[in-house]
Amino acid sequence: MIINIPENSDFSIHNIPFGIFSTEDRSPRVGVAVGEHILDLAAVAELDVFDFNTAVLEKDTLNDFIALGKEITKRVRKNIQHWLQDDHSVLAGKPELFVKQSEAQMHMPVYVGDYTDFYSSIEHATNVGKMFRDPENALLPNWKHIPVGYHGRASSIIVSGQAIHRPKGQTLPNGANAPVFGPTQRLDFELEMGFICGKDTQLGDSVSTKEAEDYIFGLVLFNDWSARDIQKWEYVPLGPFLAKNFASSISPWVVTMEALEPFRVAGPTQEPKVLPYLEYEGAKNYDINLEVDITPNGGEANTICHSNFKYMYWNMAQQLAHHTVNGCNINVGDMMASGTISGKDENAYGSMLELAWMGTKPVQLKDGSERKFILDGDTVTMRGYAEKDGKRVGFGEVSTKVLPAK
C-alpha cells in the first residue's frame, strides 16, 4: 500500500470518496480521502495519467468533474484504487501528492443549484402524525402513494464545521391568540442523507426507476435543521419555509454509488401497490449505519441516536422518478435529501422532536443536563458508515455548532 490506511477507517481502499479541499499553499481543488490523508488529484494530473481535460480537477466544486460522466469518474476511482495498492505505481515515492486531512480545509463539494427534501421514512412520518394529527390515522392519505417532498433553499446548504445562528421567526405560543416574533425555542436536527445528481435532463424529460441510479453520482450525510415552533405556525397551507430554509449541513466527502454497491439491501414491502412509474426491480436500499451526537459547549459527546438508511420506505430511485415524472429537469449538482431517517426503536428516532417526544420525554446527557431540543452552544455531529465482509465505507461526519441568535 502506497500510504497507510488505519484499520476501521471510513476512507478505506473500498471507498475513494471525492471532495474539495485547500491548504495554505494549495487553492481549492478536487481530492479523494484515503485514510487520514487526501490525495490531491490536481497534482496527480500533472503526471499526465488522465485522459480527459484535467482543468476540472482545479475547480472549487466537483460539478464539472461529475459532468464528465460515470464512464470517466468510475475509471478515475478504479485507477486510484489500483495505484494505491501497487508499490510501483505512478503514486510511488511521491509524498507531495498527499495532504493530511488535519492540515486541510474542506469546502462545499458541489455547487447546489436546486435542493429537494423528501419525507420518506414511514417511521418518522408516523411519529409526526401521531404527535400533530391523529394517533389512529397518523399518515396522510397520499403518503403511501407518492414520495412526498418540497423544494428547499439551496443557498443555505453549508459544509461540516460551519456554525449556524439560532433562527428567528413567528411562533404562536400555547393559548395565545396572536403570534410573537423571536428566536426559535425548538431548534431541532434531522438525520438525513442526501444524493447528488450526476447528469442533466432537459425540461419535459423524465427519469425512470430503472435509469435513476445512472443519474446519481453519490451521497453525503445531511442535517436538515428545523425550527419546530416556527414550522408549526407557518406550514399550513404551503409547508416548510422559514422553519427550514435557514441552514442545512452536509458532510464534505461524496461517497460514490459504486462504493456503496456491496451494501444494497431490500427495502420494506410497499402496500398498497405503487403506481407503475414507481415500481422498481432489485435491491434499492442501502445498509448504512447512522448515529447522532450532541456535545454541550465545553462538554463531552453524547450519542443519542442509532439509525440506518435501510429503513427508508421510498428509495432514491423512486424519489428521482417521481421528481421528474412531470418533466421537471435536473442539473448536475442538484441535491435531494431523504427526509428524517427513523427506525422502529426509540433510540433510532432521527430528530429531537421524536427522541424527546415533543418535549415530554427529555433526553438525559452525561453531565446531568437534559435536552428537549438543541440549545445554544451545542454541537450536533452525525456519522455514517457501511460495513460488510471486511469492507468499510464511511462518510466521515457532519458537525455543526449552534450559536445564539443574531
Side-chain angles (χ1 to χ4, degrees):
M1 189 72 71
I2 294 294
I3 196 163
N4 179 58
I5 300 177
E7 189 176 356
N8 292 325
S9 171
D10 276 0
F11 308 121
S12 69
I13 194 71
H14 308 290
N15 194 345
I16 314 297
F18 294 88
I20 300 295
F21 79 99
S22 65
T23 66
E24 288 184 359
D25 58 354
R26 302 184 199 219
S27 59
R29 64 198 44 212
V30 178
V32 297
V34 182
E36 296 174 347
H37 291 77
I38 299 170
L39 177 61
D40 182 344
L41 292 195
V44 174
E46 295 178 7
L47 304 176
D48 197 27
V49 293
F50 295 128
D51 59 354
F52 56 88
N53 182 357
T54 56
V56 300
L57 301 175
E58 299 176 20
K59 300 292 184 70
D60 60 1
T61 71
L62 290 171
N63 293 54
D64 288 348
F65 173 68
I66 294 171
L68 294 175
K70 286 199 176 187
E71 181 180 350
I72 290 177
T73 60
K74 287 166 67 173
R75 187 162 68 244
V76 169
R77 178 175 171 270
K78 287 184 177 180
N79 284 343
I80 292 169
Q81 288 177 314
H82 173 72
W83 294 336
L84 287 170
Q85 296 177 89
D86 180 358
D87 290 337
H88 303 287
S89 75
V90 294
L91 306 183
K94 298 182 177 65
E96 68 276 8
L97 300 177
F98 295 88
V99 172
K100 289 183 179 179
Q101 289 200 41
S102 59
E103 298 175 357
Q105 178 180 351
M106 298 305 299
H107 303 271
M108 277 288 295
V110 293
Y111 170 75
V112 183
D114 279 297
Y115 152 55
T116 297
D117 188 33
F118 285 95
Y119 188 51
S120 292
S121 161
I122 193 169
E123 289 81 7
H124 174 69
T126 299
N127 288 338
V128 172
K130 286 180 179 178
M131 282 186 268
F132 288 100
R133 287 186 296 275
D134 181 355
E136 301 302 319
N137 296 285
L139 294 178
L140 290 170
N142 65 355
W143 199 92
K144 287 189 173 182
H145 294 276
I146 61 174
V148 175
Y150 72 95
H151 187 248
R153 185 71 185 179
S155 65
S156 54
I157 298 177
I158 58 175
V159 75
S160 177
Q162 184 174 342
I164 64 168
H165 287 273
R166 179 174 295 271
K168 295 177 286 190
Q170 289 190 26
T171 60
L172 184 68
N174 290 335
N177 295 318
V180 299
F181 175 80
T184 177
Q185 301 302 305
R186 293 192 164 191
L187 181 62
D188 200 357
F189 64 83
E190 292 189 358
L191 172 62
E192 306 192 17
M193 300 203 72
F195 71 80
I196 294 168
C197 294
K199 290 171 68 174
D200 295 343
T201 65
Q202 300 299 311
L203 188 67
D205 291 345
S206 57
V207 177
S208 69
T209 56
K210 186 175 182 179
E211 302 169 306
E213 289 174 2
D214 291 335
Y215 286 80
I216 301 174
F217 176 74
L219 281 73
V220 294
L221 299 171
F222 196 97
N223 181 356
D224 190 25
W225 293 97
S226 181
R228 299 295 185 185
D229 45 0
I230 296 173
Q231 185 176 5
K232 184 179 180 181
W233 171 237
E234 74 176 0
Y235 84 104
V236 178
L238 291 180
F241 187 31
L242 299 190
K244 306 289 287 186
N245 71 2
F246 60 93
S248 298
S249 306
I250 67 169
S251 54
W253 294 108
V254 183
V255 176
T256 65
M257 294 294 284
E258 293 73 41
L260 295 171
E261 186 67 25
F263 310 104
R264 288 179 180 270
V265 292
T269 301
Q270 295 182 331
E271 296 178 348
K273 185 179 179 181
V274 299
L275 291 173
Y277 79 93
L278 290 170
E279 292 178 349
Y280 66 93
E281 295 180 356
K284 299 292 187 184
N285 282 37
Y286 292 83
D287 185 0
I288 302 172
N289 300 294
L290 302 167
E291 64 181 37
V292 182
D293 287 359
I294 294 177
T295 305
N297 194 30
E300 190 177 350
N302 299 256
T303 301
I304 62 167
C305 165
H306 293 276
S307 193
N308 195 297
F309 192 41
K310 68 183 180 182
Y311 297 141
M312 301 308 294
Y313 187 87
W314 296 104
N315 60 55
M316 292 182 287
Q318 292 177 307
Q319 290 169 345
L320 190 55
H322 183 66
H323 199 302
T324 60
V325 73
N326 66 343
C328 175
N329 55 318
I330 59 170
N331 297 299
V332 170
D334 284 357
M335 188 168 290
M336 303 195 184
S338 61
T340 304
I341 304 166
S342 294
K344 298 183 186 303
D345 298 330
E346 290 186 8
N347 68 350
Y349 293 166
S351 67
M352 287 301 297
L353 179 69
E354 298 164 90
L355 289 165
W357 206 255
M358 207 159 56
T360 62
K361 301 177 181 179
V363 175
Q364 303 296 318
L365 303 188
K366 296 175 185 177
D367 62 6
S369 66
E370 61 182 29
R371 293 292 184 278
K372 298 179 181 179
F373 292 95
I374 303 302
L375 302 182
D376 291 348
D378 286 348
T379 296
V380 175
T381 302
M382 298 176 177
R383 299 182 187 86
Y385 68 93
E387 197 163 26
K388 180 183 179 182
D389 299 332
K391 297 180 179 179
R392 182 183 172 104
V393 170
F395 290 78
E397 65 179 37
V398 53
S399 187
T400 311
K401 185 169 185 175
V402 176
L403 305 177
K406 284 189 173 181

